[in-house]
Amino acid sequence: MSAVLSIDRTAAPAAASTQLRFNPRPQQKFWFDPPAPRTSVEAERRHRQERLAGAFRLFARFGFAQGLAGHITARDPELTDHFWVNPLGLHFSRIKVSDLLLVNAKGETVIGDRPLNKAAFAIHAAIHEYNPKIIAAAHTHSIYGKAWSTLGRKLDTLTQDSCAFHGDIALFDDFTGMVVDDSEGLRIAKAVGDGKGAILQNHGILTAGPSVEAAAWWYIALENACHTQLLAEAAGTPKPIDEAVAQHTHSQIGGPEGALHAFESLYEGLVEAEPELLD
């Protein structure tokens, strides 16, 4: 015979000392404090290198690697007309800090012995030279950004997330083939201006920002916005967010601080799983 569980329903309630107590904490502010500044040029350089290597590996996880295409750059904090970039032909998922190339304004590799992507230099050298406030820029041939770019349109502001890009993403509609000419890189740089990036018609998307973390997170978020609008338009006729509401929401979520912390939330787990990227 199976055992029968007997429950005494007449037992007295738990003593007051064991009952849940509500201890409200002081209200936390919505936004994050800025990160502590690095104490030396060497520390800042290392920080940018580590986040840059991490950004490539995150892009690989998101499926942004496409053959030999794609590059992210980080301005050197001391040699400000130099930037760090990935070597040609090394898959994003394998990039380590020690693999990064340091390239000067003439396209010469100062540190590193792997080949340099000519398109990476043509686009990124112009962006870094044209706007000193840009620390990092990202461009790959990710599927949804590439698909959206064929429409020759800016994105509509359809969701709360896409409000981060409201009025911040240019349309560069002057595609002439693979970018290897410095003059086309300069036209892209001018199109980006002080914004977060550009839709490169028939090519893909590009983002830029005041930190590696911001540029990389904005790329991930812009690719998501392209995906979202493609799905919405395939399903029906999307209703854009009102202009005033879009501007207000942009002021709430469009800053680089939130992008930095969003990136860091991914980066921490990445380093734990793939610590060799810091080598």
Side-chain angles (χ1 to χ4, degrees), residues 61-82:
R61 289 187 174 195
F62 279 99
F64 296 165
Q66 176 70 30
L68 301 180
H71 17 85
I72 314 172
T73 55
R75 188 190 299 275
D76 188 81
E78 181 180 18
L79 306 171
T80 55
D81 61 344
H82 292 47

Side-chain angles (χ1 to χ4, degrees), residues 5-170:
L5 179 62
S6 177
I7 302 175
D8 183 1
R9 301 185 184 279
T10 63
S17 60
T18 63
Q19 292 179 351
L20 292 176
R21 295 179 181 274
F22 179 60
N23 296 310
R25 296 181 178 180
Q27 185 176 6
Q28 300 294 310
K29 62 182 180 180
F30 174 72
W31 223 218
F32 299 95
D33 291 327
R38 262 65 69 183
T39 57
S40 68
V41 169
E42 292 77 17
E44 178 62 30
R45 177 181 292 121
R46 180 67 189 186
H47 177 88
R48 295 183 189 185
Q49 290 172 323
E50 290 178 356
R51 269 54 183 183
L52 185 58
F56 285 113
R57 294 203 176 203
L58 287 172
F59 277 27
R61 289 187 174 195
F62 279 99
F64 296 165
Q66 176 70 30
L68 301 180
H71 17 85
I72 314 172
T73 55
R75 188 190 299 275
D76 188 81
E78 181 180 18
L79 306 171
T80 55
D81 61 344
H82 292 47
F83 58 83
W84 297 89
V85 65
N86 54 309
L88 179 67
L90 184 59
H91 195 268
F92 287 0
S93 65
R94 298 175 57 206
I95 290 177
K96 305 188 296 289
V97 168
S98 58
D99 294 317
L100 299 172
L101 308 178
L102 180 63
V103 179
N104 67 19
K106 297 178 181 179
E108 299 167 336
T109 301
V110 177
I111 295 177
D113 56 8
R114 291 176 178 268
L116 171 66
N117 186 320
K118 291 183 178 180
F121 176 75
I123 295 173
H124 292 260
I127 289 173
H128 286 291
E129 181 178 3
Y130 183 76
N131 190 343
K133 293 183 290 185
I134 290 176
I135 298 300
H139 166 65
T140 78
H141 291 181
S142 50
I143 187 71
Y144 299 109
K146 192 163 51 176
W148 180 263
S149 77
T150 67
L151 302 180
R153 296 162 46 198
K154 292 184 178 182
L155 285 165
D156 296 324
T157 307
L158 299 182
T159 68
Q160 174 176 302
D161 291 340
S162 66
C163 287
F165 300 108
H166 184 70
D168 267 343
I169 298 296

